[in-house]
Amino acid sequence: MARRVQDVMSKRVVTVRSDAAVSAAVERMQRFGFSALPVVNARHRLVGVVSLLDVLRHRETGGTDADPVDDVMNPDVLAMPPTASPSVVAQRMRSHGELRVMPIVERGTLVGVVTRSDLLRQWKPEGRFGALVRRVTGRDDAADEVLVGLARPGRERPAAVATTAVREVMTRDPVTVLPTEPVEVAVELLLARRFTALPVVDADARLMGVVSEADLLGDRLAGRAGRTVSAVMTRTPVTLPVDATVGEAVALVAERGLRMVPVVDGGVLVGVLSRGDLV
């Protein structure tokens, strides 16, 4: 029997009320490591989606975190029924550039969500690629299942202001992948670490490109096998120099809708900056 999206969706959904403060949405996204949340009303009916990008753009235009989520969210929500095909959902998500979370709605009520990670997981490779990534990450699938939905480990950060250098808030020693690696390795790394994209570097740590969930999901939908990361990666990613400021980074992310920006020093990757780092 053909699979339906209800077979792969997450049924325990973290949401935020439309009348809650923006600060509540930010706290939940940071606590659970999410980039977006469905927004519901008092009757648990879906009324919008709010993302970290929405929050950054709201702040850039003078808004505050005390404002209601209703002022920040995107009310034009694309949703799908639980009987939809995962392939159809994947195609819809790929056709909407910034969409990473697809709400699943039945008779107007939110019953689950599907992320790009959920869709990649149904094509998750087994065998030698899984063993290879377990050696790279030092983690196994059992540990990954336990970590799903839990807070990511925090780290001490300075109070970031517009003039703070990005090197002070960026994630150092990021997880990377080589362009010659099979795409299955990139899939496994994204799923194991719950990232949305990975920098692609050569043996000297020079940035060659970026490979994202969308890149890999498109490769899966096309039914291609035996491909390397270099065949699907974005070869000219937007980057930040290591001496850029947080203010410049926020403006770039808000304008371009980026989820992760590689930070480079003379073409060499020295870190990555995510929306979560900036928020």
Side-chain angles (χ1 to χ4, degrees):
M1 186 173 63
R3 299 195 76 184
R4 296 178 293 182
V5 74
Q6 66 187 17
D7 299 324
V8 300
M9 73 181 187
S10 301
K11 297 181 176 65
R12 299 179 62 181
V13 185
V14 178
T15 62
V16 65
R17 285 271 295 268
S18 58
D19 55 358
V22 170
S23 58
V26 171
E27 188 275 332
R28 289 189 183 185
M29 283 188 278
Q30 290 183 323
R31 173 154 50 102
F32 291 99
F34 297 155
S35 60
L37 291 177
V39 181
V40 297
N41 62 17
R43 299 175 60 190
H44 204 67
R45 297 182 75 84
L46 182 70
V47 295
V49 171
V50 62
S51 69
L52 291 177
L53 181 60
D54 294 326
V55 174
L56 288 173
R57 287 173 172 167
H58 180 66
R59 292 175 179 174
E60 281 288 278
T61 56
T64 74
D65 285 10
D67 295 329
V69 170
D70 187 66
D71 290 351
V72 181
M73 72 181 191
N74 179 6
D76 186 18
V77 186
L78 178 65
M80 297 290 286
T83 54
S85 162
S87 294
V88 171
V89 174
Q91 292 284 10
R92 293 286 177 88
M93 294 179 77
R94 277 184 52 79
S95 66
H96 292 71
E98 293 183 2
L99 187 61
R100 186 169 183 262
V101 177
M102 175 70 76
I104 307 301
V105 174
E106 189 169 26
R107 291 189 291 274
T109 299
L110 183 68
V111 295
V113 295
V114 171
T115 67
R116 287 176 175 171
S117 293
D118 293 328
L119 295 171
L120 279 177
R121 192 169 285 111
Q122 74 165 333
W123 290 300
K124 184 175 180 179
E126 302 294 340
R128 64 190 182 95
F129 293 117
L132 173 60
V133 172
R134 282 193 288 276
R135 290 198 298 272
V136 173
T137 63
R139 292 169 58 180
D140 56 27
D141 291 343
D144 294 337
E145 292 303 316
V146 172
L147 288 170
V148 169
L150 299 182
R152 291 176 177 173
R155 57 187 173 93
E156 293 298 322
R157 297 177 182 269
V161 295
T163 56
T164 300
V166 294
R167 65 166 62 92
E168 300 297 329
V169 298
M170 72 183 185
T171 299
R172 299 175 183 272
D173 300 320
V175 177
T176 62
V177 64
L178 295 171
T180 53
E181 298 275 19
V183 293
E184 287 85 354
V185 171
V187 170
E188 286 274 1
L189 283 169
L190 288 176
L191 292 176
R193 299 297 184 119
R194 300 185 65 220
F195 294 155
T196 61
L198 293 172
V200 183
V201 299
D202 64 14
D204 297 320
R206 296 188 67 84
L207 184 68
M208 307 298 290
V210 169
V211 61
S212 70
E213 289 175 324
D215 296 328
L216 295 167
L217 191 58
D219 202 52
R220 286 293 182 277
L221 289 172
R224 297 165 182 156
R227 307 259 284 177
T228 62
V229 170
S230 64
V232 299
M233 70 183 187
T234 299
R235 294 179 177 274
T236 56
V238 177
T239 63
L240 278 167
V242 70
D243 57 355
T245 66
V246 166
E248 291 169 336
V250 169
L252 179 67
V253 169
E255 177 186 353
R256 302 290 292 271
L258 304 171
R259 298 184 185 280
M260 181 273 288
V261 186
V263 181
V264 296
D265 185 1
V268 175
L269 183 73
V270 294
V272 295
L273 200 65
S274 69
R275 294 176 186 176
D277 293 328
L278 294 173
V279 171

